[in-house]
Amino acid sequence: EILRGCSTLLHRVMAADAHDENDTLLSQIANMVQYLTTTLTSYLNQCIHASFSKVKVTYDGHQHENTQIADVFELGYDWLRGICDLMARLVLIKDNNIAINAVSGSIEKITATVLPQFTPDSFTATFDMTSIYSTLVSCINSLPQKKLLPMANASVALRLGSLSLTLQDDAEMNQMVELIVTVFKCLDDTSDDGSSKMFTGGILTALGCVFRCRPTCFDSATQLNKLGESILQRTPRQKQEHKDESDGVHLMDIITSSTDCENFQSLIDIISVSISDTEPASVPLNFWRRRPLSLSDQCSGLLLGMSLLHISITSPERVKFERALAFIRSFLQCYSRLASRVVPSIIDVARTCLALQSPSTQKLLSSLEFLSSPCIVSDPHGAHLAWAFLSSLVKDGVPTAVRSAVIRLLPEMCSSNKRLFRRARNVIGKSIVAQDPIIRMSATAALSDLANLDLLRDVEQILGWVQNRLTDDEPAVVYYALEVLRYLVVNEDLEFDLVIRVLEKRLDVDISNVDMVLGLDAFALEGLVALMGEGGLEEEDDDDESNNGEEDEPIVSSQSVKAVSLLVELASLPQLLIKDGIGQKDEAFLSSVRIQKKIYGSLAGYSAEVLGLDSESIRAWDGIDSSAEISKDMNSEVKRYLCLKEIVLSGLDFATGLSAKANHVGKIDEAKESGAELLESVTAIGKTLLQFEEDVHGSFLFRGGQFSSHGSSEKSSKGKAESRSHVSKSVLSSLPVASSIQDMFESDPRSSSATAVLYSIGSSQSDPSTLLQAEDVLTQISECFGDIDNEPLVDPAFQAMQICSLVHCMDTVWKSIQGADDSVKEELVDQVVAQTEEWSETYGEKAYVAMAAFVLAADDSSQCWAGMTKIQNTILEGQGNYLFESEDTRLLCLGLVAARLSRNADARVTGLIDILEQSLSEYGRQTCFGALFGLGVIVTHLVRGNIIGTDPSVTWRREQATRIMSLLLSAFNNCLAEENEVVLDLASSIKCGQATDCLSRSCSDLDS
């Protein structure tokens, strides 16, 4: 009603002649407009908050939007439209400063506070905001430029920019972009402080990039983009030597003051980490997945990241480019659907770097890598935009460095979005026959990466490309072609023997002739010896059976025999020894290192059988000693055995002395990495020989049955290393069957017999591939669970057997779930969780050990995530709510959960180890079974796989493993009747990572 009255009075004033009474009335109307705008701001803030806090709950338990919300926005919309109409008429009155001031003040409040409330995610009703935006643009154009300066700040830019990103209608988008341009075109060199104006320029540039993709907004968005770029260019550059440490905080103050949303403050913490070297992250990213932001706040966060990105181009001393990319990448991990909004800014930065060329090469490569990363390509629209730009960079005329870099990124794009494979394959097919050798090399390398990721389809077509590249003039192209073939053999797309026969024809080489092989280029030789490690056993056809109905054992394929012989000869040749490369040029030395590393790596993958070791020949040989030398009278199996021993000893010398030799060529880091890989391969070959010797000369009791002549490291179907039981059939046949153990338990239900039953679960299956149902396994466990603790087990060995029996039976439960259909896995996991909770109510805290054992057995699949998380939280939170009666059981369960968490290098593992360590110190010289057993399980999981390397997760696992080993040695020393200094010195040496002087002296004293 007030708005209608003001409108009527204003109409009369404008129609009448000017006099003092009309001027007074006009001033009152202008003041009323300001008052109504301020009141509207307060009304929206209070009413919307009150309406959203009252959620209507229906009979079905679902939450529905309160009808008051729609009423609030409808009234607010009419209110705002009435104010805009009044302002549009006020600005038409000439030479009236009061009206101008009132309109400028009202527009400042509307743009900063009122408009951001009308986001599409705030209400379900649809309001046409186009007329309001158009009216505001008209009013602003009628105001003097100096009146716009107060509202042209970073806060308004962020709020209007976030609002524009939530709009869906093209007409509204276009009017909003024009509104932003109109507000900020007043900025000049003297307005606003440097940091705020810089941030404003970044926001405007980002918005211009986003909306230029819309045809209806192209003109206004282009103008907005140019305005933002000009503001960034005019922002004074900060000299590096006078850099103020508080600049990042000042920028954060501007960002924080731009919004009143409580949740948004946590988002600011993430941004602070992106531009600060020292400030730690206070909110993990997983938090945002559980408690997502609203759409408007998501757009605000995205706009912040994109603005920082554009700022990093013009002012790298203020914001680092890599940090801006890191923030956007982290943000998109939580809100992947916004990926398509980021792509235009990344493309704009890439084009800028292309124009600048050499000074921005690293930024260009980082931008291209970001466009091919999973956070962009996994989104269909983002993938479309990224591909449209990247595909334009692989055409003729593009600089070779850029073109080759984009080609190398294609496999990563395909791994994130397999729908891009055919397009990538077509690009690679055209590039692999290019005149430029660098392009051919990049295309062949990309093909190699696709094969490594097992993404290749239509292998027949790919083979034609690869065969043509085997005779390429560029050695690196030949190397990558050989790598493609190697990965195809690994993925079982091609047979090893067939590949070798084709290679011998294409390369015109006989792999049984070492001199011909050595005539190949170093790159080709490196690729060939790597391929030689993919041979193995030859599978027989299903219908090729012996007379007694049993299948023949697989034999080593003929080409695998030739490959192993070649590798052994190459490893024994003096011209490939690393020590002979010192006098060569740097690249020749490193090439020799790589070839030798590949030779040892190929030999390390073979079992004793494929390596040509025969147990009967070694048993018949009477010269088993370290001083034996190879003679012509020896048979081939013995010669092979002695050659491999010599190769292992030589390899140890090479690997350990490689760092010192590398100082001559100045490639210390690369040499250390190669030395570590070489040492790992040598160790693997040595283990194969030791296991073979144990098979041949070890105890008869543990030698037969399960062991064949090729030792415990066998190849499954192709001769690849596979763990086998060390126990012979005679020993296994003497063990009681599961039925007799069950009878024993039924006649005498004790802890020992119950433990034996738990161990026997699953062993009665005649066919190992036929798994028990999870429900049946749980029933068997329930039958004897109550008798596990009916008598105390004091001896730690018996306690360990009891715990291991629980671990075994819960592992059997998990295997039965793995064999089920994916559709019922989650239901089965919930069934197991419910059963263990029932056990805890009936049988006590031993059930929590079963819970922890189930967590340890399960993998990280999505079907079991909820159940595993529930169990983990139950045990971890049980420390403070007196869930456990026994301290031993509490520590044991914490250890099992920590072992599960250590797979993913979870930071909580360190804290759990601290708890176990503290318990050991509190017990003093007494034993603490739960803590010690838990530490043993943790370190067992930590050392699985490779723990030699510089990767952060590998370094973390190595550090935690050495820490636990030191604790266990110290605990072992406390168990002795008298403390032994050697044990303590060994613990200290493990902890610090190198042998101490005290340990060396202690070992010398022991020898004496």
Side-chain angles (χ1 to χ4, degrees), residues 15-204:
D17 297 333
H19 51 78
D20 293 340
E21 183 180 349
N22 288 341
D23 291 342
T24 303
L25 187 58
L26 188 62
S27 300
Q28 292 174 348
I29 295 174
N31 292 333
M32 184 58 68
V33 169
Q34 283 188 296
Y35 171 75
L36 288 172
T37 304
T38 303
T39 309
L40 174 60
T41 303
S42 177
Y43 165 78
L44 288 175
N45 287 335
Q46 297 180 31
C47 292
I48 292 174
H49 176 75
S51 300
F52 272 106
S53 63
K54 299 177 182 179
V55 180
K56 181 180 178 182
V57 181
T58 60
Y59 65 91
D60 58 358
H62 294 88
Q63 296 180 351
H64 295 275
E65 182 183 358
N66 195 321
T67 55
Q68 293 182 2
I69 299 176
D71 296 337
V72 167
F73 277 106
E74 186 175 355
L75 178 58
Y77 174 76
D78 293 336
W79 194 335
L80 175 60
R81 189 170 59 179
I83 293 174
C84 290
D85 291 340
L86 279 177
M87 291 190 302
R89 296 166 67 181
L90 280 174
V91 296
L92 296 178
I93 301 175
K94 299 180 180 181
D95 301 329
N96 192 310
N97 292 331
I98 297 177
I100 294 299
N101 293 334
V103 171
S104 62
S106 297
I107 291 178
E108 182 178 356
K109 291 185 177 65
I110 291 172
T111 55
T113 308
V114 177
L115 289 182
Q117 300 283 7
F118 287 87
T119 56
D121 61 332
S122 300
F123 48 85
T124 57
T126 303
F127 299 105
D128 183 14
M129 301 293 292
T130 307
S131 59
I132 293 178
Y133 297 154
S134 177
T135 303
L136 290 174
V137 170
S138 176
C139 292
I140 295 172
N141 284 328
S142 301
L143 295 176
Q145 291 292 311
K146 62 180 181 180
K147 295 294 183 181
L148 301 179
L149 291 177
M151 71 180 74
N153 54 58
S155 175
V156 173
L158 180 62
R159 288 172 180 268
L160 293 182
S162 303
L163 173 61
S164 65
L165 292 177
T166 63
L167 300 178
Q168 301 295 326
D169 184 70
D170 287 344
E172 287 190 2
M173 289 183 193
N174 188 45
Q175 288 295 329
M176 175 54 70
V177 173
E178 290 185 0
L179 174 61
I180 298 174
V181 172
T182 306
V183 170
F184 289 94
K185 66 182 180 181
C186 64
L187 292 180
D188 55 26
D189 293 333
T190 60
S191 60
D192 211 349
D193 63 275
S195 295
S196 178
K197 190 166 66 173
M198 173 189 65
F199 187 53
T200 302
I203 292 176
L204 300 184

Side-chain angles (χ1 to χ4, degrees), residues 306-557:
M306 292 191 295
S307 63
L308 293 175
L309 182 69
H310 290 287
I311 292 172
S312 67
I313 298 298
T314 58
S315 301
E317 71 283 355
R318 293 176 181 264
V319 179
K320 292 185 178 179
F321 180 77
E322 294 298 336
R323 290 185 190 165
L325 280 183
F327 165 69
I328 298 175
R329 182 180 288 107
S330 301
F331 192 86
L332 291 180
Q333 288 175 1
C334 303
Y335 306 106
S336 56
R337 64 176 183 175
L338 298 176
S340 58
R341 296 296 183 92
V342 178
V343 175
S345 284
I346 304 296
I347 292 176
D348 183 75
V349 169
R351 286 173 174 162
T352 302
C353 296
L354 276 171
L356 296 176
Q357 294 181 352
S358 57
S360 303
T361 301
Q362 186 56 47
K363 292 180 181 179
L364 173 61
L365 294 178
S366 298
S367 301
L368 298 179
E369 290 174 1
F370 189 87
L371 288 174
S372 64
S373 62
C375 64
I376 296 293
V377 182
S378 57
D379 176 69
H381 191 198
H384 173 73
L385 295 176
W387 178 263
F389 174 68
L390 292 177
S391 60
S392 66
L393 299 180
V394 295
K395 299 178 181 179
D396 295 337
V398 177
T400 300
V402 176
R403 187 179 174 189
S404 61
V406 173
I407 293 173
R408 291 303 306 270
L409 295 174
L410 296 180
E412 183 181 359
M413 297 182 70
C414 294
S415 65
S416 302
N417 191 333
K418 293 182 174 55
R419 294 183 177 180
L420 296 175
F421 170 76
R422 295 194 179 278
R423 301 180 188 177
R425 185 193 61 183
N426 293 336
V427 170
I428 293 174
K430 294 178 181 178
S431 303
I432 207 169
V433 294
Q435 295 294 325
D436 192 334
I438 297 179
I439 302 301
R440 293 201 307 275
M441 181 185 66
S442 299
T444 315
L447 200 63
S448 171
D449 292 338
L450 286 173
N452 186 24
L453 296 170
D454 198 12
L455 295 176
L456 288 180
R457 311 169 198 167
D458 304 330
V459 177
E460 293 79 6
Q461 179 182 0
I462 303 297
L463 283 178
W465 300 347
V466 177
Q467 291 186 36
N468 292 332
R469 293 308 102 207
L470 289 173
T471 56
D472 198 279
D473 296 333
E474 181 62 36
V477 176
V478 179
Y479 168 79
Y480 284 117
L482 291 169
E483 285 290 279
V484 175
L485 295 176
R486 182 167 74 90
Y487 291 129
L488 290 176
V489 172
V490 171
N491 298 330
E492 299 183 357
D493 293 321
L494 295 176
E495 294 183 1
F496 178 77
D497 286 23
L498 175 62
V499 170
I500 296 301
R501 286 194 291 268
V502 172
L503 277 181
E504 288 182 326
K505 293 181 179 179
R506 283 284 178 175
L507 297 178
D508 192 20
V509 64
D510 182 6
I511 66 170
S512 61
N513 189 327
V514 179
D515 294 332
M516 293 183 67
V517 172
L518 290 176
L520 296 174
D521 182 85
F523 281 107
L525 180 59
E526 183 180 348
L528 182 64
V529 295
L531 177 60
M532 292 297 106
E534 302 304 330
L537 303 179
E538 191 174 35
E539 297 182 3
E540 299 291 337
D541 296 334
D542 295 338
D543 52 354
D544 290 344
E545 298 182 357
S546 57
N547 295 331
N548 56 9
E550 295 182 358
E551 294 185 2
D552 295 333
E553 290 188 3
I555 61 174
V556 182
S557 66

